[in-house]
Amino acid sequence: MNLNISLQIAKTHLLTKKRQTLIAMLGVTFGIAMFIVMISVIKGVNKFLEDSALDSSPHIRIYKEITSSHPSIIEEANPANFNIIYHQLPKNELINIKNGLQIAANIEKESAVLGVSPQISSQVFFNKGPVPFSGQIAGVDVLKEDKLYDLKKRIKSGNIESLLSTPNGILMGKVLARNLNVKVGDKIMVTTPTGNLKLVKIVGIFGFGIQTVDGVKCYANMSMVQEILQKDKSFVTDIHIKMKDSQAALTYAKVLKNQYGYKTQDWAEANSAFLAGDKIRNGMVIMVSITLLVVAGFGIYNIMNMNVINKMKDIAILKATGFAGNDIVSIFLIQSIIIGILGALLGIIIGFCLSYLLSSVPFDAGDFLDIKTFPILFEPKYYGLGMIFGITTTILAGYMPARKASKIDPVAILRG
């Protein structure tokens, strides 16, 4: 049978029952719109959290791991007896990376590497009044650190250039500065774990928007930290690396471990808890989205089924005039496809509009710096996926009543 005739009949059926057609289309529209909004919000939040985590941490960290893997054997009075100590304390050994500056220089030459920052890190106490505050100081080349973490954009007051011209200067996290009640220009005493003291000057205050960074961390010139720890100019405890492609860090970290023999930690290992949460959120989105589409599909099925019942006499006449079963199926499938396309298109438009409105809603992120509105991710592939889901759902929902319609006995219907 001519496809144009089937199309005309399908259009006639849809237009004669406008309310049923509209309800079926709105079922698809609601499912797709909610799918678009939910996946845009969840993906936006995941992307924001991922960017926040990666912006404040290296793609790869190289450091010396201190372990005690070999038990000690102590000879007792009777030489035949031995006492094995399983929880031996580690011996007093240096935590520095030998030839750390040279290793950093070698890594920096790799084309896939964005930047490398060798540093010396230590726990310290900040003495402000009678109560010391625990923190961490990182001796760095501030220009290399800026290349990795874009420190200039994160400075709240002061600037990183002042650190270059101030031998005893430090950049302090904003939460730590608030807890200590200090500002740029103030001086504060720093105490190392070994009891060394150093009077330092705050030349800048930064904020990454992460409590574990802003609440404890300070940056200083590498030479100053080496001085207060009484170490030589080659003393380096960590090497931070940023890759041009963060995914490449997962394999490159293993290469570096084999090449230099030091412990390497990639960003996925360092943020394993976040990645687990990311998978859970994505799983929830998929389950809820499928539920919405299935519910919409059942609604469409019921409407199409009622449409078949209401059109029994019309179907009988069509079959009596020469329409085959496949022609009847094609008529109802065309109806389903039209409903699916129109409903999905409207759902995508509404979903985009709602997502756009959410993206302009002011969002109080507290100490977070780089977000002022609700994080929404606009990805064309999800809109395409919504379109495919909408059309596929309506086709499947329309196929069953279409098959039922194709098997109707026209004689029995016309007699009845």
Side-chain angles (χ1 to χ4, degrees), residues 18-94:
K18 295 180 181 179
R19 179 175 294 181
Q20 286 185 354
T21 302
L22 181 62
I23 292 173
M25 189 178 70
L26 289 178
V28 180
T29 299
F30 175 78
I32 300 304
M34 292 301 100
F35 168 76
I36 294 296
V37 171
M38 286 192 61
I39 204 163
S40 298
V41 171
I42 297 298
K43 290 294 183 179
V45 171
N46 285 349
K47 184 68 166 59
F48 167 68
L49 294 175
E50 181 180 337
D51 290 344
S52 298
L54 292 181
D55 285 350
S56 61
S57 61
H59 291 161
I60 302 174
R61 177 193 171 207
I62 302 177
Y63 63 99
K64 184 176 181 181
E65 188 176 32
I66 304 298
T67 61
S68 179
S69 58
H70 301 289
S72 293
I73 300 178
I74 301 178
E75 185 177 0
E76 294 185 343
N78 186 346
N81 296 328
F82 295 93
N83 182 24
I84 301 177
I85 301 176
Y86 288 98
H87 299 288
Q88 177 187 355
L89 294 177
K91 65 181 181 180
N92 185 17
E93 57 179 307
L94 295 177

Side-chain angles (χ1 to χ4, degrees), residues 28-301:
V28 180
T29 299
F30 175 78
I32 300 304
M34 292 301 100
F35 168 76
I36 294 296
V37 171
M38 286 192 61
I39 204 163
S40 298
V41 171
I42 297 298
K43 290 294 183 179
V45 171
N46 285 349
K47 184 68 166 59
F48 167 68
L49 294 175
E50 181 180 337
D51 290 344
S52 298
L54 292 181
D55 285 350
S56 61
S57 61
H59 291 161
I60 302 174
R61 177 193 171 207
I62 302 177
Y63 63 99
K64 184 176 181 181
E65 188 176 32
I66 304 298
T67 61
S68 179
S69 58
H70 301 289
S72 293
I73 300 178
I74 301 178
E75 185 177 0
E76 294 185 343
N78 186 346
N81 296 328
F82 295 93
N83 182 24
I84 301 177
I85 301 176
Y86 288 98
H87 299 288
Q88 177 187 355
L89 294 177
K91 65 181 181 180
N92 185 17
E93 57 179 307
L94 295 177
I95 61 172
N96 67 308
I97 299 174
K98 293 181 180 179
N99 301 317
L101 296 177
Q102 184 59 50
I103 292 174
N106 293 340
I107 295 172
E108 200 167 14
K109 295 176 183 177
E110 297 292 332
S111 59
V113 174
L114 177 65
V116 181
S117 176
Q119 51 191 265
I120 172 172
S121 181
S122 176
Q123 297 293 322
V124 293
F125 293 99
F126 298 96
N127 302 101
K128 180 72 173 180
V131 180
F133 283 80
S134 176
Q136 183 185 47
I137 191 166
V140 298
D141 180 332
V142 72
L143 297 180
K144 291 184 177 182
E145 196 74 4
D146 177 52
K147 188 175 181 180
L148 266 65
Y149 303 113
D150 204 4
L151 282 179
K152 288 181 181 178
K153 287 181 61 177
R154 305 183 186 281
I155 295 295
K156 303 298 291 182
S157 59
N159 53 75
I160 66 173
E161 288 78 10
S162 298
L163 188 63
L164 297 172
S165 58
T166 309
N168 68 329
I170 63 169
L171 302 174
M172 181 174 286
K174 61 182 292 185
V175 177
L176 180 60
R178 184 172 64 223
N179 292 339
L180 290 169
N181 193 26
V182 294
K183 59 183 184 299
V184 172
D186 290 350
K187 294 183 178 181
I188 192 169
M189 188 66 70
V190 172
T191 306
T192 68
T194 56
N196 298 327
L197 301 175
K198 181 72 175 181
L199 184 66
V200 299
K201 181 180 179 180
I202 301 170
V203 298
I205 294 175
F206 65 87
F208 279 90
I210 299 178
Q211 181 75 26
T212 53
V213 176
D214 297 344
V216 297
K217 192 167 186 177
C218 290
Y219 288 109
N221 292 307
M222 186 180 292
S223 58
M224 189 194 81
V225 179
Q226 289 168 338
E227 177 188 342
I228 61 176
L229 293 178
Q230 297 181 350
K231 304 298 181 182
D232 59 63
K233 297 296 183 181
S234 64
F235 192 89
V236 172
T237 61
D238 297 82
I239 299 176
H240 288 188
I241 304 167
K242 283 277 189 176
M243 307 292 292
K244 293 177 181 177
D245 178 10
S246 61
Q247 294 299 319
L250 304 181
T251 55
Y252 190 52
K254 298 176 182 177
V255 173
L256 293 175
K257 182 177 181 179
N258 294 332
Q259 184 174 359
Y260 297 109
Y262 289 106
K263 172 70 176 179
T264 59
Q265 184 182 59
D266 58 59
W267 62 269
E269 181 183 352
N271 298 282
S272 56
F274 160 74
L275 293 177
D278 184 41
K279 291 179 180 178
I280 293 172
R281 287 187 292 271
N282 288 336
M284 291 176 60
V285 170
I286 292 172
M287 287 188 293
V288 174
S289 300
I290 291 175
T291 301
L292 289 171
L293 294 172
V294 169
V295 170
F298 276 112
I300 297 165
Y301 171 78

Side-chain angles (χ1 to χ4, degrees), residues 9 17 24 56 69 86 93 136 157 305 309 315 351 355 369 409:
I9 295 172
K17 292 290 184 179
S56 61
S69 58
Y86 288 98
E93 57 179 307
Q136 183 185 47
S157 59
N305 195 47
I309 294 173
I315 294 168
S355 299
L369 299 177
D409 183 1

